[in-house]
Amino acid sequence: TLFSNKKKKRKKICYIFFIVVNEFCERFSYYGMRAVLVLYFRYFLLWDDDLATSIYHAFVALCYLTPILGAIIADSWLGKFKTIIYLSIVYAIGQVTMAISTIHDITDANRDGTPDNFTFHIALSMLGLILIALGTGGIKPCVAAFGGDQFQEHQSRQLNTFFSVFYLCINAGSLLSTLITPLKSVASTLMVFIAGSGMYVKTDPEGNIMWSVCKCIGFAIKNRFRHRSSSYPKREHWMDWANEKYDKLLIAQIKMVLKVLFLYIPLPMFWTLFDQKGSRWTLQATTMSGDFVSILISTVNPILILTLVPIMDRLIFPLIQKCGLNFSPLKRMTVGMLFAAMAFVSAALVQIEIDKTLPNFPSSSESQLKVVNTYSTTLNVTISPNEHLLIESFGSSADYVTFDHQDITVSLNTNPVITKAFSLIKGGRQTLIIPSDPTVMYLKEDVKSKPREGKNAIRFVNGYTADLNITNLDSIEPSATTNYTLVNQGKRDFVLRHGEQWCEFSRKFGFGASYTFLIPSTVFSDDCESITEVEDMKPNSVHMALQIPQYFLITTGEVMFSVTGLQFSYSQAPKNMKSVLQAGWLCTNAVGNIIVLIVAELGKLPKQWAEYLLFASLLVAVSIIFSIMAYFYTYIDPAEIEAQVRKEQGLEPEEMEKETLEMEEKDEDQKNEQGVKQTKI
């Protein structure tokens, strides 16, 4: 008997392995794609920050709404196993479609690195995202519940361990998602999951339970409305008004589900904050400096999860319990919400530091102007009505001058005086280039936002007397200015050439700066050392390492809130409604992302740090409300309640036999455990 029991346990570990590896691969695919999604919107499709954030959260919201569809398909038609298989195929097609949408060569006829038909790429990427949302969302409530189905009701300790390992695999997949393409991973998911097919405990679909629930609730409301007169006696629960038509067991199960769903009402606010680490926090990082730390930031959340989950599960929570404190699941979730609020306070403090270093960009009604002098002598420059600048040869004005009007007149103290009128761009930045022949001075438009992806925008002004060829840039005529070119952080070399003459110019770049390099007529005689640098925009100076505290706080909150919530949802659900309640849990995430979408589109707070503090304040208020609701919640044993209702109705022989077998197996397990302990002693 002992040998047989050990064999059963080994077999269970084997097929549980297939389930958790399947989840690892699926999450690997999902997070690998999602990690760069907002950057794809921002820098490939060239959307602004707010639109990129909105579409990102709309996609995440859809991923957490489709679990309702997955639960219906699993419970009423295909069952959990087949639902996971078929929707994983849809998932794979979506990843292929999304990958194709990122190939700019498909529409880039002139091979300039920019797609010629953005509509095609947008349409293809949106189709891919919809298919991915259907796939990942559809299987989401099924995998966790399918894993839970492999355990019997008396194996609560093993079930809790499974959910912890399950969540570890989610984050292990997230951690490694930068190493292998998501497409390979989703294909691996299918193969691994199917490999364990013959070992799984597969429960048959039990009919459209969600539709039955909706009809029962609808009838109860309708019946209560019909009998709203005081002449009708009150019933203990409003769902009892469905007694005339529906089975008492179904009504009891719905009561259990509604009791938990009521607790879910405040939960979306946690996800409102949590999922912004993939949008707002990612965009925040692009305005910061950092080298290897940029890789650390992208992986810090899953690394912390892999570290904190076992520490919390095996050390912190048992220690709290030994101290005699009742740290119940709902209390853990409340503390998790407070940690998330603290994370956003930390993000706000970081944003304040970033804002101190950002340039003062013009408003939509203002214009900004900088003056660059490549004339042979120092010039007095007068800009109407009362701006006076003294600019050295091959130098520039100290900073941009801001105007609230667009039409200006520029006068140079040359002999004779040169005067010229210009019209500035509203809401833009421009540089007035004064060449070796001041009579042909001209305006050149500048960048008016931080260069994308933390790169650096550079350009050259040719003060040489002939055309120049510059490495990786176009040929530049005398007195002309190149367009901006984006270069990465680090040391960059540029070779300037005219005929047989050449020299090399080197410069080490940081993150997010903008420069204009002035080439003098003596450039070849002094081996490029006389090239002058004008800093149009300072590099990012706030280091990415400052984001680590906010990631630590949000991850601690995630462990306390999400892992616990996943276990709580499963434990408080009736056996035939576990997928339904899992879908309800995931819907809280969808609602949270919709809240972000609304704030991004309608809130329009002038400062990002103020938005962070707003979210933190809202979550603190919500956590107080949730803690009050949790105080009055009574934990239940769904199996015990169902057994009691069945007993009142008359227990069927099959169910009695099943219950007896489970009790016998439980007793046998306990005896075997005692035997193993005695053998060890």
Side-chain angles (χ1 to χ4, degrees):
T1 304
L2 183 61
F3 176 77
S4 174
N5 187 259
K6 286 182 177 179
K7 189 175 180 181
K8 284 180 183 178
K9 288 184 177 179
R10 282 198 298 268
K11 184 180 179 183
K12 178 162 287 190
I13 290 170
C14 182
Y15 60 73
I16 290 301
F17 167 81
F18 286 112
I19 295 172
V20 296
V21 169
N22 165 77
E23 183 65 12
F24 167 84
C25 294
E26 189 276 324
R27 291 289 85 187
F28 176 98
S29 173
Y30 175 72
Y31 283 113
M33 181 275 301
R34 205 178 90 168
V36 296
L37 187 59
V38 74
L39 299 178
Y40 168 73
F41 292 152
R42 184 68 183 85
Y43 302 124
F44 187 90
L45 300 181
L46 304 180
W47 292 345
D48 62 29
D49 285 0
D50 286 338
L51 181 58
T53 299
S54 297
I55 300 300
Y56 173 88
H57 285 284
F59 164 70
V60 176
L62 185 60
C63 288
Y64 287 95
L65 282 173
T66 48
I68 298 174
L69 178 63
I72 292 173
I73 293 172
D75 287 343
S76 63
W77 181 23
L78 297 176
K80 299 183 188 74
F81 179 75
K82 289 183 179 178
T83 300
I84 294 169
I85 298 265
Y86 296 153
L87 289 182
S88 292
I89 295 171
V90 173
Y91 194 168
I93 294 171
Q95 286 284 21
V96 171
T97 305
M98 193 66 195
I100 294 172
S101 76
T102 65
I103 305 173
H104 61 77
D105 285 351
I106 295 175
T107 62
D108 186 13
N110 57 5
R111 294 296 184 266
D112 63 351
T114 302
D116 299 330
N117 185 354
F118 277 101
T119 303
F120 171 81
H121 292 275
I122 292 171
L124 207 59
S125 62
M126 292 304 105
L127 175 61
L129 290 177
I130 289 170
L131 292 175
I132 291 170
L134 287 172
T136 186
I139 69 175
K140 202 180 289 286
C142 301
V143 177
F146 185 72
D149 288 346
Q150 309 309 304
F151 299 89
Q152 295 180 9
E153 291 174 0
H154 65 274
Q155 296 176 305
S156 59
R157 185 176 61 82
Q158 294 93 327
L159 182 64
N160 288 340
T161 302
F162 164 73
F163 277 117
S164 293
V165 173
F166 185 80
Y167 208 79
L168 280 173
C169 288
I170 290 175
N171 288 278
S174 173
L175 174 62
L176 298 177
S177 58
T178 55
L179 302 180
I180 310 173
T181 63
L183 184 57
K184 289 180 183 177
S185 178
V186 78
S188 303
T189 299
L190 271 171
M191 290 187 289
V192 169
F193 187 68
I194 293 172
S197 175
M199 304 179 187
Y200 301 138
V201 175
K202 300 173 188 173
T203 55
D204 295 326
E206 300 182 29
N208 195 337
I209 189 65
M210 192 169 287
W211 178 239
S212 299
V213 169
C214 292
K215 286 196 298 182
C216 185
I217 292 173
F219 179 80
I221 295 171
K222 189 177 178 182
N223 199 30
R224 176 68 185 90
F225 184 75
R226 284 176 184 165
H227 302 87
R228 61 186 182 276
S229 172
S230 58
S231 59
Y232 294 98
K234 290 184 178 180
R235 301 190 182 182
E236 185 179 349
H237 191 281
W238 63 271
M239 274 303 304
D240 292 332
W241 289 96
N243 282 336
E244 286 85 347
K245 185 175 180 181
Y246 289 91
D247 182 66
K248 286 186 178 181
L249 179 59
L250 177 63
I251 295 171
Q253 291 169 335
I254 293 174
K255 286 179 184 178
M256 289 185 269
V257 169
L258 291 177
K259 188 178 180 182
V260 179
L261 289 179
F262 176 72
L263 271 181
Y264 285 177
I265 293 174
L267 302 190
M269 188 52 66
F270 174 86
W271 300 114
T272 297
L273 276 68
F274 179 78
D275 280 326
Q276 288 189 63
K277 66 184 177 64
S279 57
R280 291 297 196 197
W281 287 12
T282 300
L283 294 172
Q284 183 187 62
T286 63
T287 62
M288 304 175 76
S289 67
D291 193 354
F292 69 92
V293 179
S294 61
I295 300 172
L296 174 62
I297 289 296
S298 64
T299 58
V300 68
N301 178 254
I303 288 173
L304 286 171
I305 284 286
L306 293 172
T307 306
L308 289 175
V309 166
I311 290 175
M312 292 283 190
D313 191 45
R314 297 296 180 182
L315 182 63
I316 304 297
F317 294 154
L319 187 61
I320 292 173
Q321 192 173 6
K322 284 185 178 180
C323 292
L325 298 174
N326 180 22
F327 200 38
S328 63
L330 295 180
K331 288 180 181 177
R332 294 181 199 174
M333 292 171 69
T334 304
V335 173
M337 295 166 85
L338 293 175
F339 268 103
M342 287 190 290
F344 264 63
V345 172
S346 177
L349 295 175
V350 171
Q351 190 63 48
I352 289 170
E353 291 302 310
I354 293 172
D355 289 349
K356 291 177 183 177
T357 67
L358 292 177
N360 181 27
F361 293 114
S363 66
S364 58
S365 61
E366 294 176 331
S367 302
Q368 289 184 337
L369 182 70
K370 177 176 275 193
V371 181
V372 167
N373 177 21
T374 61
Y375 188 51
S376 56
T377 62
T378 300
L379 291 174
N380 276 310
V381 181
T382 302
I383 305 174
S384 64
N386 54 5
E387 286 292 337
H388 302 281
L389 304 171
L390 181 65
I391 305 176
E392 297 179 353
S393 177
F394 283 86
S396 71
S397 54
D399 204 350
Y400 284 89
V401 180
T402 302
F403 298 93
D404 57 7
H405 54 278
Q406 280 64 58
D407 295 324
I408 61 170
T409 302
V410 179
S411 297
L412 309 180
N413 69 324
T414 52
N415 189 15
V417 173
I418 299 172
T419 302
K420 195 169 183 180
F422 294 97
S423 182
L424 303 177
I425 299 173
K426 279 187 178 182
R429 284 184 152 197
Q430 292 172 279
T431 295
L432 177 66
I433 307 292
I434 303 174
S436 55
D437 179 5
T439 60
V440 293
M441 57 182 167
Y442 59 91
L443 289 175
K444 192 72 176 178
E445 189 171 355
D446 299 354
V447 290
K448 59 178 181 180
S449 62
K450 278 285 185 179
R452 65 191 188 189
E453 300 176 73
K455 293 183 178 180
N456 301 273
I458 65 166
R459 62 184 177 183
F460 290 84
V461 178
N462 186 8
Y464 191 61
T465 54
D467 290 1
L468 289 175
N469 287 313
I470 305 176
T471 308
N472 299 325
L473 299 172
D474 297 331
S475 176
I476 177 174
E477 298 176 353
S479 300
T481 305
T482 64
N483 293 322
Y484 278 112
T485 298
L486 294 178
V487 297
N488 292 322
Q489 174 266 349
K491 186 181 178 183
R492 296 290 176 264
D493 299 323
F494 304 91
V495 176
L496 282 67
R497 190 181 300 275
H498 173 69
E500 297 298 320
Q501 294 181 299
W502 67 276
C503 65
E504 186 177 81
F505 170 65
S506 297
R507 172 68 160 81
K508 188 175 181 180
F509 296 98
F511 295 87
S514 173
Y515 300 98
T516 299
F517 296 106
L518 310 180
I519 304 171
S521 57
T522 58
V523 61
F524 294 120
S525 60
D526 57 21
D527 201 25
C528 279
E529 291 185 4
S530 58
I531 293 178
T532 306
E533 172 190 300
V534 175
E535 190 178 66
D536 300 329
M537 195 179 298
K538 293 181 182 297
N540 303 341
S541 57
V542 178
H543 206 274
M544 284 184 185
L546 288 181
Q547 280 194 317
I548 292 177
Q550 68 200 56
Y551 275 95
F552 175 80
L553 290 168
I554 199 77
T555 304
T556 305
E558 180 187 5
V559 173
M560 305 282 279
F561 181 90
S562 189
V563 178
T564 306
L566 198 64
Q567 296 173 2
F568 174 79
S569 297
Y570 190 88
S571 68
Q572 297 296 289
K575 189 172 183 180
N576 64 334
M577 295 188 187
K578 292 191 183 295
S579 291
V580 174
L581 205 52
Q582 289 290 318
W585 165 257
L586 296 170
C587 278
T588 64
N589 197 313
V591 176
N593 280 274
I594 291 170
I595 293 172
V596 183
L597 194 155
I598 293 169
V599 172
E601 287 299 313
L602 302 179
K604 304 292 183 184
L605 292 176
K607 296 291 184 180
Q608 186 59 53
W609 63 263
E611 185 177 293
Y612 288 148
L613 286 182
L614 171 64
F615 281 124
S617 302
L618 289 172
L619 186 56
V620 169
V622 166
S623 65
I624 294 171
I625 295 170
F626 180 73
S627 65
I628 296 170
M629 295 169 66
Y631 179 79
F632 292 100
Y633 182 84
T634 304
Y635 292 88
I636 61 171
D637 182 351
E640 187 178 320
I641 295 173
E642 288 175 325
Q644 186 177 350
V645 174
R646 286 195 185 100
K647 187 176 180 180
E648 291 173 359
Q649 293 181 316
L651 189 64
E652 295 178 11
E654 295 179 6
E655 294 167 335
M656 190 177 291
E657 184 182 348
K658 182 181 177 183
E659 195 172 89
T660 304
L661 286 171
E662 287 180 357
M663 289 299 295
E664 287 176 356
E665 187 174 344
K666 185 177 179 181
D667 292 339
E668 188 179 342
D669 286 345
Q670 290 174 347
K671 288 177 184 176
N672 289 331
E673 284 177 8
Q674 290 174 359
V676 170
K677 287 179 182 177
Q678 289 172 359
T679 304
K680 285 181 178 177
I681 291 169

